[in-house]
Amino acid sequence: MSDQAERRIVVGVEGSGYAREALIWAIEEAHHREAVVEVVTCFSPTYVPAAPDLGYVPLDSFDLATEVEKMQSEVIEAALAAADFSDEVEIRRSLKKGRPADTLMAAAAGATMLVVGNRGRGGFAGLRLGSVSQAIAHHSPCPLVIVRSGLETD
């Protein structure tokens, strides 16, 4: 295993305040570990049936990857503004198509740790742990940190 792989912190970011708090935590941890932070954002286009002989077509009428990249940049900029040591940590950005839990675990293979917020944008407001965090907690390929931010509203 190379030094680079041993000192990589993967952070799942999906646009919520919970993800921003997880990224702030990861930036500060990366400073202490002299690690690189790899921000991973997962997305899945929505497909709908067009016609029996045409199969499925994308429902999203805009460039989804561009919108996801813009959202990821906004979260990163907000986290860098709030984090200590942000000037001293290398941030890498990655957009990946796929289901969030599976995609994050694949991205975290060989990483020092995987960091996510305790919940995301979907689901029910009263949940203490979201579905992605729950799935990753059972199957993470590396040490996992679930940052519980205690945000009342997002």
Side-chain angles (χ1 to χ4, degrees):
M1 211 191 281
S2 72
D3 245 8
Q4 188 71 4
E6 292 173 3
R7 295 183 294 134
R8 181 172 57 100
I9 298 175
V10 175
V11 185
V13 170
E14 37 58 82
S16 71
Y18 302 100
R20 184 186 66 245
E21 294 297 317
L23 181 54
I24 292 167
W25 186 93
I27 290 168
E28 293 177 1
E29 185 67 18
H31 167 76
H32 297 297
R33 293 178 180 257
E34 297 180 358
V36 170
V37 172
E38 181 181 344
V39 179
V40 177
T41 303
C42 308
F43 68 99
S44 297
T46 305
Y47 292 95
V48 295
D53 32 330
L54 289 178
Y56 289 81
V57 295
L59 175 66
D60 309 306
S61 59
F62 56 90
D63 184 1
L64 183 60
T66 300
E67 292 299 314
V68 171
E69 184 176 20
K70 179 182 171 193
M71 175 276 303
Q72 182 190 61
S73 291
E74 290 170 358
V75 173
I76 292 170
E77 295 309 314
L80 287 171
D84 295 331
F85 316 114
S86 60
D87 294 340
E88 302 169 26
V89 175
E90 179 184 348
I91 305 287
R92 294 183 186 154
R93 302 162 190 240
S94 178
L95 300 179
K96 298 186 181 284
K97 281 186 185 179
R99 295 178 44 185
D102 297 335
T103 305
L104 286 173
M105 288 188 289
T112 302
M113 71 176 62
L114 173 58
V115 180
V116 294
N118 60 305
R119 59 182 314 265
R121 297 169 42 195
F124 301 96
L127 290 177
R128 298 285 182 230
L129 192 63
S131 61
V132 173
S133 300
Q134 179 80 16
I136 292 171
H138 294 288
H139 304 289
S140 180
C142 62
L144 171 68
V145 175
I146 299 174
V147 177
R148 184 167 186 265
S149 64
L151 292 173
E152 295 300 322
T153 59
D154 195 10

